[in-house]
Amino acid sequence: MTQKLKCVIVDDEPIALDILTTYIERVDQLELVARCKNAFEAFNFLQSNTADLLFMDIKMPQMTGIDFVKNFKNHPKVIFTTAYEEYALESYELDVVDYLLKPISFQRFFKALSKIFKNMPASIQSTTVVLPEATPKQPFIILKVDKKNVKVYLSEILYIESLDHNARVKTVGKELFTYQKISYLEEILPADQFIRIHRSFMVALDKIEAFSSTIVEVGGKELPIGRNYKALVMKVLKEQAENL
């Protein structure tokens, strides 16, 4: 029987708990043993239970994740999961495994795990070097919108427009203004479904209604193709047309 790492998720946001639960369930070598809404719940659980790995939010009421790590000396390995970049330096000084910025893609989640697997027994290493084949039926990302984390299904996204350090995400039926940059969204969205066509625009390939050498039409709106992106965009769109 394959040895499993016992995992605990600590986060005060229900959506974050659900996303990490889904990710853990996709990795055969992980076992979720507890979901805690704050650091005190995690502390109480660990007093009478064992765990190998904590996925811990930082900014939580009553006690932050950083305070938890500082005060609980015999804690398991920790991967911080947070929407705030400013804690990165302090967290690494605490010798945590990794620091994941929300929204967290499964690829980035698994990359963090790889840092643990390479130092674990062969019974774990040998079966975790390949990403699990299972994929969600409806893939989604989480956008930071105002003070909320908003779940957006990839199938609903038409295009993304850069607005300086923010982005506007046009979906079927609504627009969302997020604090994440278009460069970050480009990194976490699957390259076989989305393509950057301009410094300011990224589009869903299956939502393109028409195109020329200078524009693509998505959702009834013409979006420009940037000079530096033209060669790749034309290549991808022509290959897509030939496969229809």
Side-chain angles (χ1 to χ4, degrees), residues 118-158:
K118 69 181 180 181
N119 295 317
M120 298 302 288
S123 60
I124 292 180
Q125 287 188 39
S126 61
T127 52
T128 47
V129 292
V130 179
L131 288 173
E133 294 182 359
T135 55
K137 292 183 179 179
Q138 293 192 65
F140 62 87
I141 59 173
I142 300 295
L143 298 178
K144 283 295 282 188
V145 179
D146 294 325
K147 296 182 179 180
K148 298 179 181 178
N149 291 311
V150 179
K151 183 177 181 180
V152 179
Y153 290 106
L154 302 193
S155 61
E156 297 179 349
I157 298 175
L158 298 176

Side-chain angles (χ1 to χ4, degrees), residues 7 10 12 38 42 60 66 70 73 104 120 144 147 153 160 163 177 196 200 208 217 226 229 232-233 242:
C7 302
V10 189
D12 61 328
N38 56 60
M60 295 182 290
I66 287 177
K70 286 180 177 179
K73 300 302 181 183
I104 302 165
M120 298 302 288
K144 283 295 282 188
K147 296 182 179 180
Y153 290 106
I160 299 166
L163 302 171
F177 293 88
R196 188 81 172 263
S200 299
I208 295 176
E217 185 175 328
Y229 298 86
L232 177 60
V233 172
E242 290 172 357

Side-chain angles (χ1 to χ4, degrees), residues 32 52 56-57 114 138 151 174 182 192 211 219:
L32 179 62
D52 302 301
M56 175 161 282
D57 190 20
S114 299
Q138 293 192 65
K151 183 177 181 180
K174 61 183 177 181
I182 192 172
D192 61 339
F211 70 91

Side-chain angles (χ1 to χ4, degrees), residues 48-239:
S48 54
N49 299 273
T50 61
D52 302 301
L53 178 61
L54 302 182
F55 292 95
M56 175 161 282
D57 190 20
I58 290 181
K59 199 167 184 179
M60 295 182 290
Q62 299 178 301
M63 178 183 287
T64 69
I66 287 177
D67 287 338
F68 175 89
V69 172
K70 286 180 177 179
N71 290 290
F72 186 16
K73 300 302 181 183
N74 296 318
H75 61 77
K77 294 182 182 297
V78 174
I79 294 177
F80 278 135
T81 60
T82 180
Y84 302 92
E85 297 181 6
E86 60 264 31
Y87 298 106
L89 179 59
E90 185 176 4
S91 71
Y92 282 121
E93 291 175 349
L94 297 173
D95 196 30
V96 299
V97 175
D98 210 337
Y99 183 95
L100 305 183
L101 276 175
K102 299 175 183 178
I104 302 165
S105 68
F106 180 74
Q107 288 75 15
R108 183 66 184 88
F109 170 85
F110 196 84
K111 183 177 179 180
L113 290 178
S114 299
K115 297 179 181 181
I116 299 175
F117 292 150
K118 69 181 180 181
N119 295 317
M120 298 302 288
S123 60
I124 292 180
Q125 287 188 39
S126 61
T127 52
T128 47
V129 292
V130 179
L131 288 173
E133 294 182 359
T135 55
K137 292 183 179 179
Q138 293 192 65
F140 62 87
I141 59 173
I142 300 295
L143 298 178
K144 283 295 282 188
V145 179
D146 294 325
K147 296 182 179 180
K148 298 179 181 178
N149 291 311
V150 179
K151 183 177 181 180
V152 179
Y153 290 106
L154 302 193
S155 61
E156 297 179 349
I157 298 175
L158 298 176
Y159 64 86
I160 299 166
E161 180 180 2
S162 176
L163 302 171
D164 295 323
H165 298 294
N166 304 318
R168 179 169 70 105
V169 180
K170 176 68 175 177
T171 70
V172 178
K174 61 183 177 181
E175 292 182 348
L176 297 168
F177 293 88
T178 177
Y179 299 123
Q180 284 113 357
K181 296 180 181 180
I182 192 172
S183 57
Y184 173 74
L185 297 176
E186 182 181 10
E187 180 182 338
I188 67 171
L189 288 168
D192 61 339
Q193 298 177 43
F194 294 85
I195 187 170
R196 188 81 172 263
I197 64 167
H198 187 277
R199 182 177 61 183
S200 299
F201 292 101
M202 186 174 184
V203 302
L205 283 167
D206 66 343
K207 300 299 191 302
I208 295 176
E209 300 160 355
F211 70 91
S212 70
S213 61
T214 58
I215 62 98
V216 297
E217 185 175 328
V218 181
K221 182 177 178 65
E222 291 187 354
L223 303 176
I225 298 174
R227 182 177 59 184
N228 295 334
Y229 298 86
K230 183 176 179 179
L232 177 60
V233 172
M234 289 295 100
K235 179 177 182 294
V236 170
L237 293 182
K238 287 178 180 178
E239 288 177 353

